[in-house]
Amino acid sequence: MPRALCPPGLSAPVGPYSHAVLAGEQIHVSGLLALAEDGSLVGANDAEAQARHIFALLSRILEGVGSDLRHVVKLTFFLTDLQDRFALNQVRSEIFGEWRPASTLVQVAGLIGDGTLMEIEAIATLAESPVS
């Protein structure tokens, strides 16, 4: 049975969704914005700061079920400005090193919140058996 995940330290979902769902050996992570726990935007209009914060949130979600960023198999990036891909790719390279998950990059007309430049969603696998 799939299990919804909402680890501490993330802002509460603002709609009828979960931050992530554990389904078998896969972790499906909803699109993440650079939001602090109180819902405020981190790094308004700063692509590098937003990317770093989002990857930190992703790491927190994965660690909550006994996985980590090395087990990410697919990333989807939504950017309002394709020029921000350079900052995103720099951060991504630092975080993932030689590991290159499958990915998709989509330019969008806009995202929720003034100053929001990107949204990132992911699919990962469990590192071991799930944490209870």
Side-chain angles (χ1 to χ4, degrees), residues 38-120:
D38 66 2
S40 63
L41 182 63
V42 173
N45 298 309
D46 182 337
E48 181 180 344
Q50 288 188 25
R52 288 189 189 287
H53 188 76
I54 292 169
F55 282 124
L57 295 175
L58 176 58
S59 180
R60 184 176 296 145
I61 290 168
L62 297 177
E63 288 171 3
V65 289
S67 191
D68 56 44
L69 293 171
R70 295 172 301 179
H71 290 84
V72 171
V73 296
K74 173 73 165 73
L75 293 162
T76 304
F77 303 100
F78 303 92
L79 300 179
T80 57
D81 183 345
L82 288 179
Q83 293 301 310
D84 290 334
R85 75 184 184 278
F86 300 110
L88 172 61
N89 284 339
Q90 176 185 335
V91 173
R92 180 181 175 181
S93 293
E94 290 173 21
I95 289 172
F96 288 98
E98 294 298 315
W99 175 231
R100 299 186 186 280
S103 67
T104 300
L105 172 65
V106 179
Q107 183 176 17
V108 295
L111 293 164
I112 295 173
D114 291 338
T116 301
L117 304 175
M118 67 183 66
E119 185 168 349
I120 301 173

Side-chain angles (χ1 to χ4, degrees), residues 1 9 13-14 17-20 24-25 30 35 37-39 48 54 60 83 85 87 101-102 110-111 117 132:
M1 179 65 117
V14 294
Y17 69 93
S18 300
H19 285 301
E25 298 288 315
S30 295
L35 299 178
E37 188 172 0
D38 66 2
E48 181 180 344
I54 292 169
R60 184 176 296 145
Q83 293 301 310
R85 75 184 184 278
L111 293 164
L117 304 175
S132 301

